[in-house]
Amino acid sequence: MKSFECGTLVPGCTWHTEAEESAEVVRRAAEHLRTAHEEEVVRPNMIEEIKARVHEKGEALN
């Protein structure tokens, strides 16, 4: 199970998501940025930042 916590990218945000596949986690995170953080366009570098923060559920974050 893959996991992403938005607070690792947007300080103070408590939103998180989990899915079997990393691609689904990234899709959900990009949608969250558009809706909750009013990002009209999620730039490729932001997608890379999300990907870098996706981890196995229960895995310690560095």
Side-chain angles (χ1 to χ4, degrees):
M1 183 71 67
K2 304 295 184 184
S3 184
F4 171 78
E5 291 80 24
C6 189
T8 64
L9 192 59
V10 180
C13 184
T14 60
W15 182 87
H16 66 278
T17 190
E18 297 173 354
E20 289 295 325
E21 301 294 326
S22 293
E24 178 62 14
V25 171
V26 172
R27 185 197 68 74
R28 291 177 187 178
E31 181 64 23
H32 170 73
L33 288 175
R34 282 191 285 279
T35 59
H37 300 293
E38 300 177 353
E39 290 287 332
E40 290 183 23
V41 175
V42 180
R43 298 172 310 281
N45 66 317
M46 188 62 74
I47 296 296
E48 292 305 315
E49 292 291 334
I50 293 168
K51 287 179 180 179
R53 289 166 170 81
V54 172
H55 60 92
E56 288 293 329
K57 183 180 174 183
E59 181 179 81
L61 299 176
N62 295 331

